[in-house]
């Protein structure tokens, strides 16, 4: 579609920065988060996010993404500077 952004397969959750310049989208498969430059209308980075990520939240300081895994109930913390999961907490399944 005209004006669309190709974010990849199986997008699920989305969160944006306060300034509206960047959006983060979870992909249940292949377990990634797309980082989207909204002005350029393109994916600029992909981050590993665990297995079947769905829910997503951005920390108030916008340095950490919190992503939930659908089947395991695990909550992963993704350090945006490092570009990887730096902590996780087991959920109740």
């Amino acid at each position: 579609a005209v004006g669309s952004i190709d974010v990849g397969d199986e997008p699920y959750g989305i969160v944006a920065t306060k300034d509206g310049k960047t959006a983060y989208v979870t992909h249940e498969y292949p377990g990634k988060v797309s980082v989207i430059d909204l002005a350029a209308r393109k994916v600029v980075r992909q981050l590993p996010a665990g297995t079947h990520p769905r829910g997503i939240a951005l920390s108030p300081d916008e340095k950490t993404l919190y992503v939930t895994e659908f089947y395991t109930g695990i909550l992963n913390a993704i350090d945006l500077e490092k570009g990887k999961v730096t902590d996780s907490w087991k959920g109740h399944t």
Side-chain angles (χ1 to χ4, degrees):
V2 175
S4 66
I5 301 171
D6 182 7
V7 297
D9 291 338
E10 298 193 39
Y12 198 88
I14 184 169
V15 68
T17 55
K18 292 177 221 173
D19 63 10
K21 293 181 179 180
T22 306
Y24 302 93
V25 178
T26 57
H27 300 278
E28 188 169 355
Y29 180 81
K32 305 246 183 225
V33 170
S34 290
V35 181
I36 301 168
D37 178 324
L38 293 172
R41 303 183 67 77
K42 68 178 189 173
V43 175
V44 294
R45 189 175 177 197
Q46 291 224 317
L47 307 170
T51 305
H52 303 284
R54 285 198 177 179
I56 187 168
L58 185 59
S59 65
D61 64 6
E62 299 186 341
K63 293 181 179 182
T64 306
L65 280 176
Y66 297 98
V67 178
T68 59
E69 293 184 8
F70 179 64
Y71 291 109
T72 65
I74 292 173
L75 172 65
N76 292 313
I78 301 171
D79 182 306
L80 290 172
E81 185 178 318
K82 293 178 182 177
K84 64 181 184 177
V85 173
T86 55
D87 207 350
S88 38
W89 301 268
K90 285 189 173 191
H92 300 284
T93 54

